[in-house]
Amino acid sequence: MHHYTYPCPLRWSDADAYGHVNNALFLRYMEEARTRMFQEILPADEAQRRQKAFVVSRAAVVYRAALRYREDPVDVHVRVAQHRAASFELAYEIRDAEQLYAEGTTAITAYDLEDGQPRRLTEAELAFLARYTGS
């Protein structure tokens, strides 16, 4: 498999009056999985993190089935759909063994927050992305 899986816990407050997880929270689940996935390549030093940041430039979610609140986590699978010199796209599936609840994508730009400019991906970042590229 060429994807990262994060078992995302659901919170009682995630559910609406009908017991369904609110649609806006699917973006939070995607963010949580993405953040955990990238932990290993983010610099420990805050100044370096600002120079080697990533920003979301686009996000989309297609809802496939209602996700009802439950105690068991839902899996968020993340893979790299494509990458370029300064950006990449992540594809997500929010699912469990029986059901696909949503699919999503985020376009991510490598960014230097100090300069306020996009930057090129480093060789180490490209190697990391290659681990999660493919089906």
Side-chain angles (χ1 to χ4, degrees):
M1 291 269 183
H2 296 289
H3 67 261
Y4 173 85
T5 301
Y6 170 63
C8 187
L10 304 180
R11 299 177 310 182
W12 174 252
S13 62
D14 292 351
D16 61 18
Y18 304 108
H20 299 119
V21 171
N22 183 287
N23 64 321
L25 291 168
F26 285 78
L27 287 169
R28 184 180 61 107
Y29 299 160
M30 290 164 45
E31 175 188 42
E32 188 72 27
R34 178 177 66 250
T35 301
R36 291 177 185 272
M37 176 181 174
F38 278 80
Q39 285 287 43
E40 74 178 75
I41 65 162
L42 293 177
D45 177 69
E46 182 62 30
Q48 288 181 4
R49 277 185 180 228
R50 293 187 56 76
Q51 293 171 346
K52 301 265 191 262
F54 299 105
V55 295
V56 174
S57 57
R58 181 180 42 79
V61 180
V62 177
Y63 302 97
R64 301 294 182 192
L67 174 58
R68 296 190 63 78
Y69 171 77
R70 64 196 191 187
E71 303 252 341
D72 294 329
V74 65
D75 287 334
V76 182
H77 299 287
V78 187
R79 67 178 174 80
V80 177
Q82 62 180 340
H83 62 82
R84 295 182 179 83
S87 64
F88 54 95
E89 184 173 283
L90 298 177
Y92 306 80
E93 286 188 353
I94 299 173
R95 65 175 311 119
D96 55 30
E98 294 82 36
Q99 182 70 52
L100 173 64
Y101 299 103
E103 295 174 289
T105 58
T106 52
I108 311 286
T109 300
Y111 207 79
D112 183 331
L113 295 171
E114 294 297 321
D115 291 343
Q117 300 274 340
R119 63 176 180 82
R120 295 182 84 72
L121 292 163
T122 66
E123 290 298 319
E125 291 166 340
L126 289 168
F128 175 81
L129 294 173
R131 289 175 29 201
Y132 300 103
T133 302
S135 52

